[in-house]
Amino acid sequence: MIILRKPILEDGAKIYQLANSVGGLDVNSCYSYLLMCQKFADTCVVACYEKEIIGFAIAFLDPQKPEVLFVWQIAVSDKFRNRGLAMTMLYHILLREHNTEIKFIETSITPSNLSSQALFRSLSIDLKCEIKERK
């Protein structure tokens, strides 16, 4: 069974390793993932299977616009892709009790990342909202 939960500090290094292994991400320093786990856990999620982190979504609330959730990175281990886990992780963040003020989602997606584009298009359809793209 896959368990979704807020990340803890100790998850940062494992998230960093997963980010390195999935390909297609601009991998940041291990420190940045540790920082996100420690300071922004309320807007992040890890997916675990048998105590192994198999996915993560890293996001934060914009300090100048607290109604905006900025989704920084999402990754799912190759073995668990195409099961809707990325979407499930996004909903896990959005449906948390203390995230009820979120009204908008922002993200940046590399033009070649078709799977992320499809994910956010599907999310917009589910939420019955529009997507505004800036290039």
Side-chain angles (χ1 to χ4, degrees):
M1 175 167 47
I2 296 173
I3 305 293
L4 300 178
R5 62 171 173 78
K6 291 181 187 181
I8 57 173
L9 181 63
E10 292 77 15
D11 294 330
K14 294 174 187 170
I15 291 171
Y16 172 73
Q17 290 170 346
L18 181 58
N20 270 308
S21 72
V22 296
L25 288 180
D26 289 332
V27 179
N28 296 277
S29 69
C30 186
Y31 174 74
S32 63
Y33 295 100
L34 291 167
L35 186 65
M36 293 301 290
C37 290
Q38 183 181 45
K39 300 292 184 185
F40 300 98
D42 286 345
T43 51
C44 299
V45 63
V46 291
C48 302
Y49 180 76
E50 296 181 356
K51 298 186 181 183
E52 176 187 350
I53 293 179
I54 58 158
F56 68 85
I58 301 284
F60 57 87
L61 295 176
D62 185 325
Q64 296 171 337
K65 298 180 277 180
E67 72 280 5
V68 176
L69 178 72
F70 184 83
V71 179
W72 181 39
Q73 286 187 330
I74 299 176
V76 176
S77 170
D78 289 342
K79 289 184 345 188
F80 293 89
R81 287 193 182 152
N82 300 316
R83 300 182 188 189
L85 185 54
M87 179 78 80
T88 302
M89 289 190 295
L90 285 174
Y91 271 109
H92 193 266
I93 294 169
L94 292 172
L95 295 174
R96 289 181 182 159
E97 185 177 313
H98 50 272
N99 289 338
T100 58
E101 298 302 313
I102 296 171
K103 296 194 180 6
F104 303 98
I105 297 172
E106 289 184 357
T107 193
S108 60
I109 303 173
T110 304
S112 62
N113 191 336
L114 301 178
S115 60
S116 285
Q117 292 175 33
L119 169 66
F120 284 95
R121 269 195 301 282
S122 293
L123 182 63
S124 74
I125 291 167
D126 276 3
L127 296 174
K128 297 174 179 48
C129 63
E130 65 181 298
I131 290 180
K132 292 185 181 179
E133 289 186 48
R134 284 185 268 173
K135 297 186 181 205

